[in-house]
Amino acid sequence: MNVNGKPYRTIWLKQSDERQVQIIDQRNLPHEFNIETIGNVASMARAIQEMHVRGAGLIGAAAGYGMYLAALEASESDDFDQSLESSYQALKETRPTAVNLAWALDRQMAAMARETSPVDKIAIAISTAHEIADEDASFCASIGRHGLELIREISNRKGNAESVNILTHCNAGWLAFVDHGSATAPIYAAHDAGLPVHVYVDETRPRNQGARLTAWELGQHGVPYTLIADNVGGHLMQHGKVDLVLTGTDRTAVSGDVANKIGTYLKALAAKDNGVPFYVALPSSTFDWNIRDGVAEIPIEQRDDEEVTFAQGLCDGALKRVRLSPESSPAANYAFDVTPARLVTGLITERGICEANEASILGLFPEKRV
Ligand code: MRU
C-alpha cells in the first residue's frame, strides 16, 4: 500500500545487503515513519515481542525472515541444527496468541529439514521466507475480492447512494500483514471500486492500534473514517449507524471461535443484539486446525501493565509518554479475547466466505480434514 504516494510492504530484504531484513517500525506511527534494519535473530525476536512489527500475518512473515537469519547464524556456528533449534525457540516464545508465528516457524523448519547442506538450507530458508510473505499479500488481496461482494450487496440494498458504514476494531490493516490487510482489504477494494464506504475505527486501548494505525492507513488511502472511543460501537449499532462489523483475527479455531484484540467480543455481542452482521477476515494461515474450544484453548497474551497505566502521543511536536492512573494503581493487560463462533456471521478467507463452523470451514479447506 502507499505511504505518501510511495508503495511499501511492511517487511522486505535490504536491497544492498541480502543478509539483512527491513521493516516499518510501527511503534511511533503515525507520528514518525521509521524503517528499521534487522541483521540477527535476537533483534528479530525483540522486534516481534516489543511490537515494532505486529499483527498476525506480519508476525508470521517476520518469523519466516527470522528463520532465514537463523540459518545464516547457524552456518557460522559449530552445530547448525542446535543453533537453528535455539533460534526457533527464541522466536516462538515472543508472542503466544497469533498462530501465524508457529505456523511460519514450523514451515521453515520443515523446508530446511528437506535439505542437507547449510548452503542449501540457507537457500531454501530465503525462498520460503519470500513465499510466506508473497502468499500473505496475495491471500489478503483475495480476501479483498471476496469481501468486496459482501459490501457491494449492502451498498445495493442501501440504494448505492448512502455510505456503507463499517465498524472495525484494532488494526487488521496492511500494517498487520505484508500488504492489503485482512479486514481492510474488502474496504480498500470497495473504495477503489467506487462504492461509498465509511469506517468507524475503534481506538483500541491500551495500545491504540485503531487510533494510531488504522486511522493512518485509511487516511493514506483516502477512505473516509471516524475515530471513536472503544465503547461507542454499541450505541452506534442501536441507532442503525453500523451496517457491518468487520474485524481481523489472530487465531481462529476450526470450530469458528475467533481470538482477536481485546474488546472484540463485546462488539460481537452488541452486533448480535442489534442484528448487525459480524464478519471476520483471515488468511488460512490464521486457522488453528487443532483447536475446537477457542475460549478454553487459545492462549491469551498478557502484556506489561504499563501499556494500561501510560499512554503515548504527540505533545508540542515531540513523542511523549504520560501516566494515566494513580502511581500505585494495579492494572491488568489482557491483549486478546475470544468471540464464540455463535456470534460470528461469517469468515472471509482467500478461498471465499464461509460460516463460522467446522463443516463450513472444512468445506473451503477440505485438505485439512483428518
Ligand atoms: O497485538 P497486535 O497489534 O499484534 O494485535 C493484532 C491485531 O492487530 C488485531 O488483533 C487484529 O485484528 C488481528 S491481526 C490481523
Side-chain angles (χ1 to χ4, degrees):
M1 301 295 288
N2 287 347
V3 178
N4 299 327
K6 184 175 170 200
Y8 277 94
R9 279 184 167 192
T10 51
I11 190 164
W12 62 93
L13 221 50
K14 189 173 180 186
Q15 237 178 10
S16 58
D17 178 3
E18 298 219 324
R19 296 172 71 90
Q20 305 206 70
V21 179
Q22 293 191 301
I23 57 164
I24 298 171
D25 179 353
Q26 302 187 18
R27 287 171 302 168
N28 296 339
L29 281 173
H31 313 298
E32 289 176 7
F33 182 81
N34 297 319
I35 305 290
E36 181 181 352
T37 301
I38 294 181
N40 57 58
V41 176
S43 304
M44 185 61 90
R46 198 173 323 115
I48 297 172
Q49 187 154 41
E50 295 175 2
M51 296 175 66
H52 310 200
V53 287
R54 28 73 46 207
L58 179 54
I59 290 173
Y65 283 107
M67 286 307 287
Y68 160 61
L69 298 175
L72 291 174
E73 274 174 38
S75 70
E76 284 161 10
S77 77
D78 296 337
D79 187 334
F80 189 98
D81 289 343
Q82 201 195 344
S83 170
L84 199 66
E85 177 62 28
S86 80
S87 295
Y88 169 87
Q89 288 303 341
L91 289 164
K92 198 166 187 179
E93 279 159 20
T94 51
R95 296 198 68 193
T97 302
V99 74
N100 302 59
L101 177 70
W103 169 83
L105 293 172
D106 290 340
R107 180 163 165 175
Q108 279 285 28
M109 287 301 256
M112 281 190 261
R114 289 194 289 274
E115 305 295 336
T116 43
S117 74
V119 171
D120 289 342
K121 284 178 191 282
I122 292 170
I124 197 78
I126 188 55
S127 63
T128 305
H130 287 324
E131 250 172 53
I132 290 170
D134 290 347
E135 215 175 85
D136 185 82
S138 83
F139 283 1
C140 284
S142 301
I143 288 168
R145 287 189 286 275
H146 296 300
L148 164 63
E149 296 315 315
L150 192 66
I151 297 174
R152 196 191 300 282
E153 233 174 76
I154 299 171
S155 186
N156 286 343
R157 225 181 302 132
K158 292 183 83 171
N160 293 315
E162 250 185 276
S163 281
V164 176
N165 291 303
I166 301 168
L167 184 141
T168 194
H169 190 69
C170 199
N171 173 259
W174 72 273
L175 290 168
F177 289 85
V178 173
D179 210 348
H180 308 291
S182 59
T184 52
I187 295 170
Y188 292 135
H191 176 80
D192 293 348
L195 297 179
V197 281
H198 164 264
V199 184
Y200 284 112
V201 178
D202 283 353
E203 61 177 344
T204 321
R205 279 283 291 147
R207 289 187 67 100
N208 296 309
Q209 288 96 326
R212 297 191 305 107
L213 305 176
T214 305
W216 181 70
E217 267 195 31
L218 293 173
Q220 286 284 332
H221 200 78
V223 177
Y225 70 90
T226 305
L227 180 62
I228 52 174
D230 280 337
N231 296 324
V232 174
H235 167 78
L236 293 176
M237 289 185 226
Q238 282 178 324
H239 290 271
K241 293 190 168 166
V242 178
D243 298 302
L244 168 70
V245 180
L246 182 49
T247 76
T249 166
D250 300 85
R251 186 187 299 226
T252 289
V254 69
S255 59
D257 290 349
V258 167
N260 194 49
K261 185 53 61 187
I262 192 76
T264 304
Y265 173 44
L266 293 177
K267 292 296 164 287
L269 284 170
K272 186 76 171 180
D273 194 43
N274 290 284
V276 174
F278 180 95
Y279 278 85
V280 175
L282 73 161
S284 50
S285 50
T286 306
F287 280 112
D288 189 329
W289 305 103
N290 301 311
I291 280 182
R292 287 191 167 68
D293 184 342
V295 175
E297 295 179 87
I298 297 178
I300 299 297
E301 177 178 8
Q302 289 189 58
R303 297 184 60 83
D304 196 324
D305 296 355
E306 290 201 351
E307 290 182 356
V308 178
T309 54
F310 285 80
Q312 173 182 287
L314 202 61
C315 179
D316 297 332
L319 271 175
K320 294 236 166 74
R321 201 170 155 266
V322 293
R323 177 179 273 287
L324 299 173
S325 59
E327 240 176 78
S328 58
S329 179
N333 188 5
Y334 294 91
F336 300 94
D337 61 25
V338 174
T339 298
R342 63 176 181 278
L343 300 177
V344 179
T345 312
L347 303 172
I348 310 171
T349 78
E350 74 269 15
R351 292 197 190 165
I353 300 180
C354 65
E355 288 172 14
N357 61 57
E358 186 160 346
S360 190
I361 293 168
L362 292 177
L364 279 186
F365 298 93
E367 73 278 16
K368 298 294 178 187
R369 283 185 214 277
V370 278

